Every structure is written in C-alpha cells, then in structure tokens.
C-alpha cells in the first residue's frame, strides 16, 4: 500500500501544482476537480488496472482513497 499512497500524493501534488500534499489532505480542498480526478484515474488505470473511487476521493482524505482502492485490489470489502 505504501507505493500506492506515495504515488497518489505525488500525482495529486503534480496536478494541483502543490508539492506539500500529504495523505491527510482532501483532493477537493487542494483545488482538485472532476477533470483532474479523471486524469488521475487514467494514470491509476494504466499503472495498476484499477481506478480510485471518485466519491471517496472527493469526500475523504487521500489516505482513505488509497485504503479503499487497496482493499478493492486485494478483493476485500471496505467497512
């Protein structure tokens, strides 16, 4: 999961032009929007074959979005 989180933070920082992004940050609060989310999901799809849940990405922290994606990739349900 560490690689996923590191990449998400790095890519979000690149998209919103803010190198100070952390896993505790919220995508929308950082200035993210639907087009950036689509671009982010394209990268994840190409690299890992899975996409982030946009609802989680918009409503929760980046760390939560990665935890949800990791759980899906591992075939586990998220509570």
């Amino acid at each position: 999961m560490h690689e996923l989180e590191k990449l998400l933070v790095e890519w979000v920082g690149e998209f919103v032009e803010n190198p100070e992004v952390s896993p505790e940050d919220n995508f929308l609060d950082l200035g993210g929007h639907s087009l950036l989310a689509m671009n982010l999901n394209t990268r994840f799809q190409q690299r890992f074959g899975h996409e982030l849940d946009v609802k989680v990405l918009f409503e929760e922290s980046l760390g939560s979005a990665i935890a949800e994606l990791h759980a899906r990739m591992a075939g586990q349900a998220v509570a």
Side-chain angles (χ1 to χ4, degrees):
M1 187 160 95
H2 182 68
E3 178 187 6
L4 291 174
E5 185 173 84
K6 181 180 175 188
L7 283 174
L8 177 61
V9 168
E10 180 181 313
W11 291 344
V12 168
E14 176 186 328
F15 288 150
V16 299
E17 299 178 354
N18 180 353
E20 301 300 319
V21 173
S22 79
E24 293 78 31
D25 290 327
N26 174 273
F27 182 72
L28 293 178
D29 291 344
L30 291 167
H33 50 75
S34 59
L35 182 57
L36 291 180
M38 288 175 45
N39 291 337
L40 191 59
N41 267 334
T42 297
R43 281 195 184 179
F44 269 91
Q45 179 67 36
Q46 290 171 342
R47 180 86 179 254
F48 300 105
H50 294 274
E51 294 182 353
L52 296 163
D53 182 323
V54 176
K55 182 178 179 187
V56 176
L57 182 66
F58 284 178
E59 294 178 357
E60 300 182 29
S61 70
L62 297 176
S64 295
I66 283 300
E68 189 281 331
L69 173 62
H70 186 260
R72 273 190 291 119
M73 289 174 69
Q76 303 168 353
V78 175

